[in-house]
């Protein structure tokens, strides 16, 4: 078990996870990395909203697991993936909470993309 402190979202640090009604498409070097109608939008306190895409809607063949990990006291331990495009390696471009805390359990089996490490994350009308 983690030795990290766990915090529960509340009025001082709210977190919501909601289904995103849009079609979410992530592209890199002209190639679609993810295409989903089942993405989730996580809004945490005053941070920008983050889109989480189900793994089933991501081209996992382009991803390699990274050794990088970070910790969020509200969500748990994050694991990272690199995107391999030919000879290019986009390091730690994706993060995921494989065992998220109960407050955000919906994001399990979902991936989030750093906007500055992919070409686009679009929310298209479905």
């Amino acid at each position: 078990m983690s030795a990290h402190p766990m915090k529960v979202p509340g009025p001082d640090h709210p977190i919501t996870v909601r289904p995103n009604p849009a079609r979410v498409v992530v592209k890199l070097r002209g190639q679609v990395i993810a295409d989903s109608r089942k993405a989730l939008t996580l809004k945490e306190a005053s941070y920008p909203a983050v889109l989480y895409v189900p793994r089933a809607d991501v081209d996992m063949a382009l991803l390699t697991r990274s050794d990088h990990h970070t910790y969020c006291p509200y969500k748990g331990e994050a694991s990272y993936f690199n995107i391999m495009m030919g000879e290019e390696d986009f390091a730690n471009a994706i993060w995921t909470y494989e065992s998220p805390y109960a407050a955000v359990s919906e994001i399990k089996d979902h991936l989030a993309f750093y906007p500055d490490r992919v070409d686009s994350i679009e929310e298209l009308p479905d």
Side-chain angles (χ1 to χ4, degrees):
M1 195 66 191
S2 173
H4 294 291
M6 184 176 95
K7 295 183 179 179
V8 177
D12 59 327
H13 194 99
I15 298 178
T16 59
V17 180
R18 302 277 185 262
N20 188 310
R23 175 182 175 198
V24 175
V25 178
V26 181
K27 293 181 184 175
L28 180 61
R29 298 293 189 257
Q31 186 168 342
V32 173
I33 305 295
D35 187 342
S36 182
R37 288 175 174 81
K38 297 178 182 172
L40 300 173
T41 300
L42 183 145
K43 183 73 179 106
E44 179 175 0
S46 60
Y47 299 114
V50 175
L51 299 175
Y52 281 83
V53 178
R55 286 184 189 221
D57 295 336
V58 178
D59 188 347
M60 297 298 289
L62 297 173
L63 309 187
T64 58
R65 188 173 287 276
S66 167
D67 291 333
H68 187 64
H69 295 272
T70 58
Y71 178 76
C72 170
Y74 294 95
K75 296 186 293 290
E77 182 177 310
S79 300
Y80 288 75
F81 285 93
N82 307 320
I83 303 173
M84 299 298 298
M85 298 291 289
E87 297 298 312
E88 288 185 278
D89 180 359
F90 296 86
N92 303 318
I94 298 169
W95 76 92
T96 183
Y97 291 91
E98 294 177 329
S99 298
Y101 291 153
V104 294
S105 61
E106 302 96 328
I107 64 173
K108 181 176 173 48
D109 298 323
H110 288 65
L111 303 175
F113 296 79
Y114 279 106
D116 61 343
R117 297 183 193 173
V118 295
D119 292 340
S120 63
I121 301 173
E122 298 176 289
E123 293 180 75
L124 307 171
D126 195 17

